[in-house]
Amino acid sequence: GTGMGMTAPVSITAFPAEDGSLQQKVKVSLRIPSKFQANPPCPSDESIKIEERRGMTIYSTQFGGYAKEVDYVDYAAKLKSALGSEAAYHKDFYFCNGYDPPMKPYGRRNEVWFVKE
């Protein structure tokens, strides 16, 4: 019953298949605004869980536009290529992040994050 407004980023945990495409299982995460973090409201939907995300070091790339799955897959491949074989990061998942509301037509920000091991 508590409205928290839009938060950014909206973060989708992507699980890549062997060919680089994304598996059908996804996890969408929304940041709880600072004023609610000490005592977040309890979700009324059982499929919604509150979890704390630990601090992490990431490798990231940024791009603009209205991001689709193919864009995240493409930029994840570019980031993987840029990192080469020397960088140690989790290969079984990565984060697809969007920072803007749907009605913002220009200057959109999207990111792909690989989590450093």
Side-chain angles (χ1 to χ4, degrees):
T2 303
M4 293 189 283
M6 183 183 163
T7 64
V10 172
S11 187
I12 299 170
T13 306
F15 301 92
E18 292 291 322
D19 64 359
S21 66
L22 301 184
Q23 296 180 34
Q24 290 302 307
K25 66 177 184 173
V26 295
K27 179 178 173 182
V28 178
S29 302
L30 306 171
R31 184 182 176 280
I32 295 176
S34 298
K35 71 179 186 175
F36 294 103
Q37 286 184 8
N39 189 20
C42 293
S44 56
D45 183 326
E46 290 181 14
S47 68
I48 298 172
K49 308 284 187 247
I50 295 176
E51 55 182 49
E52 190 169 334
R53 189 180 278 180
R54 302 184 336 240
M56 62 183 132
T57 301
I58 62 166
Y59 298 105
S60 177
T61 188
Q62 182 178 339
F63 61 99
Y66 282 96
K68 299 179 216 42
E69 180 179 326
V70 67
D71 300 313
Y72 285 115
V73 170
D74 182 46
Y75 278 90
K78 289 177 182 177
L79 181 56
K80 180 180 179 179
S81 178
L83 292 172
S85 59
E86 297 298 313
Y89 58 91
H90 292 274
K91 311 241 183 340
D92 55 334
F93 72 94
Y94 58 87
F95 294 106
C96 305
N97 302 285
Y99 287 83
D100 302 295
M103 60 289 237
K104 182 179 179 183
Y106 303 106
R108 299 182 63 80
R109 177 179 168 189
N110 309 291
E111 296 176 346
V112 172
W113 295 353
F114 290 170
V115 179
K116 185 178 179 181
E117 288 185 326

